[in-house]
């Protein structure tokens, strides 16, 4: 069935280094892909989505490009900040009805000074 | 700040007890979701509604969980007989439509501990 696979577990980076969290999908049809971020004790929030009218989606310095050839939607940022420490989820919606947002297993990003 | 309001923030129940949590979706949002986030931070979809009608629900939800979104009242999720494995963060979310390109807004969740 349709699924997403993302960088799992814990990623620790030093402030100022680039961030790349992987997300690949397996789907019969191209799904709608998202990145959500959840800071400690906060609600998950949408960070990026894959469909932005031919523009590369960007938000808070993060960007992601949908590559259909490699079935990927990796999250990137050129320079990590301490405030980027959070849980990151790649999520997807199939093209079917009854909208259901499905999440990958999540990546805990910790940025250290 | 999240406009999806969930109460209570923390809930402690004994095994076999009922556990009920509530959610006020963002104003004007007819689509409501419930997710369970476990101790490994993994999300599990439980159920979603459009207005008062159930769109989808998983088997677990059908058996021990009940949920409703009555008009002019908060939505609710109730576990009829709590089990230790139900200990988790329960997240409510809402969106403006059921379309795949619609942003989903989450509340901060109700953290249930079953002792």
């Amino acid at each position: 069935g349709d699924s997403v696979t993302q960088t799992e577990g814990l990623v620790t980076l030093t402030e100022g280094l680039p961030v790349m969290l992987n997300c690949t999908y397996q789907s019969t049809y191209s799904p709608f892909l998202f990145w959500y971020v959840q800071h400690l004790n906060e609600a998950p929030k949408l960070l990026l989505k894959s469909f932005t009218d031919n523009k590369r989606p960007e938000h808070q310095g993060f960007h992601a490009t949908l590559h259909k050839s490699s079935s990927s939607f990796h999250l990137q940022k050129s320079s990590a900040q301490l405030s980027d420490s959070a849980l990151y989820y790649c999520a997807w919606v199939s093209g079917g009805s009854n909208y259901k947002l499905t999440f990958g297993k999540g990546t805990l990003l910790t940025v250290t000074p | 700040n999240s406009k999806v309001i969930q109460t209570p923030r923390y809930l402690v129940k004994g095994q076999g007890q009922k556990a009920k949590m509530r959610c006020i979706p963002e104003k004007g949002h007819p689509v409501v979701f419930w997710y369970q986030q476990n101790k490994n931070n993994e999300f599990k979809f439980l159920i979603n509604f459009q207005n008062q009608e159930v769109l989808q629900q998983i088997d677990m939800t059908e058996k021990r969980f009940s949920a409703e979104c009555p008009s002019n009242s908060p939505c609710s999720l109730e576990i009829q007989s709590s089990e230790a494995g139900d200990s988790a963060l329960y997240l409510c979310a809402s969106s403006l439509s059921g379309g795949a390109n619609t942003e989903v807004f989450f509340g901060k969740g109700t953290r249930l501990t079953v002792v």
Side-chain angles (χ1 to χ4, degrees):
Chain A
D2 295 359
S3 64
V4 291
T5 302
Q6 66 173 108
T7 304
E8 291 184 24
L10 176 65
V11 172
T12 303
L13 288 174
T14 303
E15 187 180 17
L17 290 181
V19 179
M20 181 157 170
L21 304 181
N22 293 337
C23 174
T24 56
Y25 65 89
Q26 192 169 24
S27 178
T28 305
Y29 304 100
S30 291
F32 296 94
L33 291 163
F34 307 81
W35 278 100
Y36 275 78
V37 59
Q38 185 180 24
H39 287 91
L40 187 62
N41 295 324
E42 294 294 322
K45 294 185 299 186
L46 178 66
L47 187 59
L48 294 170
K49 55 186 180 180
S50 62
F51 38 94
T52 52
D53 299 327
N54 297 321
K55 297 178 186 176
R56 186 179 74 168
E58 295 192 31
H59 186 60
Q60 297 177 348
F62 286 94
H63 61 89
T65 302
L66 179 63
H67 289 289
K68 294 184 180 180
S69 58
S70 57
S71 300
S72 66
F73 188 56
H74 304 324
L75 182 68
Q76 296 178 275
K77 186 175 183 180
S78 59
S79 176
Q81 297 176 288
L82 296 176
S83 58
D84 294 332
S85 295
L87 280 161
Y88 291 81
Y89 294 90
C90 185
W92 65 279
V93 175
S94 70
S97 61
N98 293 340
Y99 177 89
K100 183 176 112 176
L101 186 64
T102 304
F103 289 83
K105 293 190 174 184
T107 306
L108 179 60
L109 175 66
T110 301
V111 181
T112 59
Chain B
N1 288 334
S2 173
K3 296 178 183 176
V4 176
I5 307 300
Q6 291 189 248
T7 55
R9 288 294 308 276
Y10 301 93
L11 190 56
V12 180
K13 293 292 178 181
Q15 294 195 47
Q17 289 187 318
K18 285 187 182 180
K20 188 168 186 175
M21 54 204 85
R22 292 176 176 83
C23 169
I24 300 175
E26 189 161 332
K27 189 174 181 180
H29 283 192
V31 181
V32 175
F33 307 78
W34 285 98
Y35 287 87
Q36 180 194 65
Q37 188 177 23
N38 67 18
K39 62 181 181 181
N40 295 320
N41 297 312
E42 296 169 345
F43 281 67
K44 178 189 284 186
F45 169 85
L46 295 177
I47 191 169
N48 61 352
F49 293 84
Q50 182 153 12
N51 295 313
Q52 292 79 52
E53 301 298 320
V54 174
L55 294 176
Q56 283 182 293
Q57 60 183 329
I58 63 171
D59 286 349
M60 178 181 79
T61 311
E62 288 177 6
K63 291 172 183 173
R64 291 194 303 113
F65 290 54
S66 61
E68 59 177 3
C69 272
S71 60
N72 301 316
S73 293
C75 297
S76 64
L77 177 69
E78 184 173 57
I79 306 173
Q80 302 304 317
S81 178
S82 301
E83 299 175 357
D86 297 330
S87 295
L89 182 68
Y90 289 84
L91 290 163
C92 177
S94 70
S95 67
L96 194 55
S97 78
N101 61 348
T102 305
E103 183 172 350
V104 175
F105 296 84
F106 283 85
K108 291 187 176 183
T110 293
R111 185 166 296 283
L112 172 66
T113 302
V114 181
V115 298

